[in-house]
Amino acid sequence: MTLWQIIIAASIAVLALKLAGYLVPPALLQKPTPSRIADLLTVALLAALIAVQTLGNGQALTVDARVPAVIVAAGLFAIKTPFIVVVIVAALVAAGLRALT
């Protein structure tokens, strides 16, 4: 299978999954259990993405300047700092640590 065939097949699969979402009855989505699962699944997927992007380097784990930057960003979010300030401070922390090494 070529790369383009894989991309086209994946695109068709994503479109089919999106269209299948419209077939789910609205009454099912208003029940507490599916609603809670959807909320928790979103948070879990975002946390996994952050972990992979922060610690991953190909097939290996890497601890570099990104880890302290994410820790600082999490701390700033905990004290309800505006998003733009969090991004700037985290970038400065990562840049500062990279400049030291």
Side-chain angles (χ1 to χ4, degrees), residues 18-82:
K18 187 172 180 86
L19 291 175
Y22 289 111
L23 300 176
V24 176
L28 177 68
L29 297 176
Q30 293 173 352
K31 293 181 181 178
T33 303
S35 176
R36 181 155 169 80
I37 290 171
D39 290 342
L40 293 176
L41 187 63
T42 304
V43 172
L45 289 173
L46 182 58
L49 177 64
I50 290 170
V52 167
Q53 292 296 315
T54 302
L55 299 171
N57 185 13
Q59 295 292 322
L61 290 177
T62 303
V63 177
D64 58 6
R66 294 176 288 185
V67 175
V70 169
I71 292 170
V72 167
L76 290 174
F77 271 127
I79 61 172
K80 308 257 190 255
T81 306

